[in-house]
Amino acid sequence: AGGGTFSGIASGTLANGQTVVITTDGKISGITSTGIGITSGEPKNLGPLNEQISGNSVAYDESQQKLFVVYQATDNSDRPYGVVGTITGTGITFGTPQQIRTSAIYTAPSAVYHPPTKNIVFAFHSSSGIYAYTASIKDDTFQVGAEGTYVHQTSGINFIKLIYHKQTENIVMFNANQPSTNPGFWGQVLKVDGDVVTGMGAVRASTSGNTLSSDAGLSATYIESDGRVLGMWRDQTDGYTHYQAIGIIRGDNLQWGTQQLGPGASEYIQLVYDPPSGNILVPLVHNNKIKYKVGIVTAGDDYIQYTTLAEPSSGQPSGGPTFLQATFDPIEKKYLFTYRQGSNPNWYQ
């Protein structure tokens, strides 16, 4: 209705003329055109990870206020390693890398924090299936729990992503398989009991068993505001088109909605839920720069709409970034981006 006025309590500081929304608690919050604005610290080498590695995943331990990085060490026979990082301002320091397993892994690992146990849960593909573990962080080191059993027994895996589902206190795992065995984009609930992780049965989101692109073109995130999950993949047999599907957790089971078109055709792309805005940050590599879109979340809608491309105001890599990863630090309320820079085998943040 036009011509009326409204008075309310501001949530935070509002600039004169700033666009606002009324939140569910009746307060007034300011928003930008996208809901998210980004600046970044200076890129730097990850220090002890100054070696050739094939993939990594970063998780933030809220109880210890530390980062946990698990990675595949190409210079060490593709064995999995982990290292603990400490954030100070826009900088980061690392402890000493620790080897997790003596045998090789074949897919970039994934890690996530599990608040009920105050542990990190991580998984990777080795032999003919996906193994899951827990890691307990103390100071600048970590202790690995009992070796996990297969949570998804199949071959041809080229993507794994773990997220924490707050409503059920479980982990949700996403993985993509090539046509050799059970092709398509899959999801399943993982239950954590002490240091044991158990899979509850995988469900395919993609409508057909098509060939999916490399792990750089696949991602997933958790929509914390309503408990849904969002999976995204690139279909190599359909012009590398991005697709997405929204999933609902019912008990120990994951149920997927209808497959829809995704945010674009970039190869290196991520989905990260942004708690302050309730939307989804979509960092991606475009024309040799890190740029981003924002996915606008609407309750009850089975499709995510995306804004146009934008880029951070500072801190762009000097060379074309590849294998982009991203995570949100809820304490500092900042994003951490890790990537490889062109043909350089080192990782930067």
Side-chain angles (χ1 to χ4, degrees):
T5 61
F6 178 83
S7 299
I9 300 173
S11 178
T13 302
L14 301 178
N16 184 35
Q18 183 178 1
T19 303
V20 299
V21 294
I22 303 171
T23 58
T24 54
D25 60 3
K27 294 183 179 180
I28 303 173
S29 294
I31 60 173
T32 66
S33 59
T34 64
I36 301 173
I38 300 179
T39 59
S40 65
E42 289 299 316
K44 64 187 69 175
N45 195 287
L46 291 181
L49 306 193
N50 188 14
E51 58 178 307
Q52 186 172 354
I53 63 179
S54 297
N56 76 90
S57 182
V58 182
Y60 183 75
D61 187 323
E62 297 174 13
S63 64
Q64 299 295 316
Q65 298 186 19
K66 301 279 187 177
L67 288 172
F68 177 76
V69 184
V70 57
Y71 63 96
Q72 180 183 6
T74 305
D75 289 344
N76 286 285
S77 303
D78 286 327
R79 294 169 181 167
Y81 280 74
V83 67
V84 176
T86 303
I87 297 175
T88 53
T90 59
I92 185 170
T93 58
F94 288 93
T96 302
Q98 300 170 230
Q99 183 175 293
I100 295 169
R101 192 178 183 185
T102 58
S103 57
I105 62 176
Y106 307 118
T107 302
S110 181
V112 69
Y113 179 63
H114 187 245
T117 60
K118 294 184 172 61
N119 287 331
I120 301 294
V121 175
F122 63 96
F124 47 69
H125 177 215
S126 181
S127 185
S128 59
I130 300 174
Y131 284 96
Y133 297 77
T134 62
S136 176
I137 293 177
K138 182 174 177 59
D139 298 324
D140 293 329
T141 63
F142 64 94
Q143 179 68 43
V144 176
E147 180 172 301
T149 57
Y150 287 135
V151 292
H152 190 49
Q153 189 167 358
T154 186
S155 59
I157 295 170
N158 69 344
F159 167 79
I160 301 172
K161 173 74 173 182
L162 303 181
I163 65 171
Y164 173 65
H165 191 263
K166 184 177 180 180
Q167 281 84 344
T168 62
E169 298 188 346
N170 291 323
I171 304 296
V172 182
M173 182 179 79
F174 306 89
N175 65 273
N177 303 348
Q178 293 294 6
S180 56
T181 305
N182 300 323
F185 188 89
W186 296 75
Q188 71 168 306
V189 174
L190 305 182
K191 297 188 73 68
V192 183
D193 184 8
D195 62 357
V196 178
V197 184
T198 306
M200 306 307 293
V203 182
R204 190 168 66 187
S206 51
T207 56
S208 63
N210 290 337
T211 302
L212 305 183
S213 67
S214 66
D215 61 337
L218 302 115
S219 190
T221 194
Y222 166 54
I223 304 174
E224 186 177 332
S225 58
D226 58 20
R228 295 179 297 171
V229 296
L230 175 65
M232 184 183 65
W233 62 94
R234 232 169 38 135
D235 192 334
Q236 186 174 324
T237 59
D238 188 15
Y240 291 92
T241 301
H242 259 122
Y243 288 101
Q244 63 181 358
I246 294 177
I248 299 174
I249 309 299
R250 300 189 185 280
D252 294 339
N253 299 311
L254 169 62
Q255 298 179 2
W256 288 109
T258 304
Q259 174 179 304
Q260 307 276 1
L261 286 174
S266 173
E267 180 178 359
Y268 302 107
I269 192 167
Q270 292 288 301
L271 298 173
V272 187
Y273 181 74
D274 183 72
S277 71
N279 292 320
I280 297 170
L281 177 68
V282 188
L284 52 88
V285 175
H286 182 74
N287 291 337
N288 293 322
K289 289 185 177 182
I290 296 177
K291 299 188 178 183
Y292 66 94
K293 293 185 176 183
V294 176
I296 307 302
V297 176
T298 303
D301 197 342
D302 65 353
Y303 182 71
I304 304 295
Q305 300 283 350
Y306 296 93
T307 62
T308 57
L309 272 176
E311 64 181 87
S313 59
S314 63
Q316 280 287 354
S318 57
T322 60
F323 297 100
L324 176 68
Q325 302 285 329
T327 190
F328 179 74
D329 176 355
I331 303 299
E332 298 286 337
K333 292 182 172 56
K334 297 175 181 177
Y335 288 91
L336 173 68
F337 299 96
T338 61
Y339 52 88
R340 284 174 63 176
Q341 192 162 289
S343 59
N344 189 331
N346 297 328
W347 284 84
Y348 294 83
Q349 61 88 17

